[in-house]
């Protein structure tokens, strides 16, 4: 198996944590599109949004997604990468899309526990629990539509990786 694996889900879903552990287990490369963009632009996500607005940031995100897509690579996408139809179609065509699904309460708890991991400007200006409920309500259908596999993202990273490996194994046997 050498296909590209795309990790999608909301902020705090574990795309980077699970994706990097999965890459290690499979012997794949790992790329986080947010980190890739920050390194390429020499700016934080917040700075990109401040300078270019969300539209400019989303444009950068689409370019980054296409740039880093290669065989034997796991890509942790930004939580909003699925907002662009172009990105949803690209990921479905180019590899396997795994949606790490967790309820808003779990996402908010993770973001509160590890605020440095969430170096993103607020999307709504509301408290994080409210924001996550609102974001999931707006994006859930897009995550579902994009995903080849929807995984329970509430377990610890090793459990989630084991679940994903089992699904990929079954897919390879078919």
């Amino acid at each position: 198996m050498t296909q590209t694996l795309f990790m999608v889900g909301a902020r705090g879903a574990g795309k980077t944590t699970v994706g990097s552990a999965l890459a290690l287990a499979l012997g794949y490369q790992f790329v986080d599109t947010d980190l890739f963009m920050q390194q390429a632009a020499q700016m934080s996500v917040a700075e990109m949004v401040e300078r270019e607005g969300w539209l400019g940031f989303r444009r950068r995100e689409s370019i980054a997604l296409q740039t880093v897509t290669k065989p034997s690579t796991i890509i942790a996408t930004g939580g909003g990468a699925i907002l662009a139809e172009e990105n949803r179609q690209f990921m479905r065509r180019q590899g396997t899309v795994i949606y790490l699904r967790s309820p808003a309460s779990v996402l908010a708890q993770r973001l509160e526990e590890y605020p440095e991991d969430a170096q993103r400007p607020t999307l709504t200006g509301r408290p994080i629990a409210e924001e996550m409920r609102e974001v999931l309500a707006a994006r859930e259908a897009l995550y579902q539509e994009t995903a080849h596999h929807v995984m329970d993202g509430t377990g610890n990273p090793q459990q989630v990786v084991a679940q994903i490996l089992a699904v990929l194994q079954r897919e390879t046997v078919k």
Side-chain angles (χ1 to χ4, degrees):
M1 178 178 79
T2 61
Q3 74 209 19
T4 306
L5 298 174
F6 297 96
M7 310 298 290
V8 301
R11 188 166 42 140
K15 300 177 301 281
T16 298
T17 303
V18 170
S20 57
L22 184 60
L24 198 60
L26 292 171
Y28 273 32
Q29 295 295 311
F30 174 76
V31 179
D32 178 305
T33 57
D34 281 352
L35 292 176
F36 177 84
M37 288 189 305
Q38 289 176 73
Q39 290 168 348
Q42 295 292 297
M43 286 187 273
S44 69
V45 170
E47 289 169 325
M48 284 181 243
V49 171
E50 187 178 309
R51 289 186 189 177
E52 302 172 12
W54 281 106
L55 195 61
F57 173 77
R58 294 294 178 211
R59 199 170 20 255
R60 279 184 185 269
E61 188 171 54
S62 295
I63 292 166
L65 182 65
Q66 293 178 22
T67 302
V68 302
T69 298
K70 294 176 177 53
S72 301
T73 304
I74 295 178
I75 300 169
T77 64
I82 48 81
L83 294 172
E85 172 80 19
E86 165 193 12
N87 293 345
R88 295 193 306 271
Q89 290 180 4
F90 176 81
M91 288 186 287
R92 284 195 60 85
R93 269 194 326 270
Q94 296 297 319
T96 298
V97 183
I98 298 166
Y99 169 28
L100 294 181
R101 187 171 194 247
S102 294
S105 58
V106 170
L107 300 172
Q109 180 183 351
R110 288 176 181 168
L111 294 172
E112 286 168 352
E113 285 176 13
Y114 303 100
E116 68 280 356
D117 290 348
Q119 297 173 356
R120 314 233 187 339
T122 177
L123 297 171
T124 63
R126 294 198 181 93
I128 195 68
E130 272 182 52
E131 179 171 306
M132 295 318 297
R133 276 193 299 279
E134 194 170 303
V135 166
L136 277 183
R139 297 179 181 174
E140 178 67 23
L142 297 174
Y143 289 132
Q144 295 272 355
E145 169 194 318
T146 308
H148 292 97
H149 304 288
V150 178
M151 307 302 299
D152 178 357
T154 60
N156 71 47
Q158 291 73 28
Q159 291 171 318
V160 178
V161 168
Q163 291 170 7
I164 294 169
L165 289 171
V167 165
L168 295 174
Q169 180 75 31
R170 285 194 300 271
E171 196 174 81
T172 306
V173 173
K174 285 184 186 175

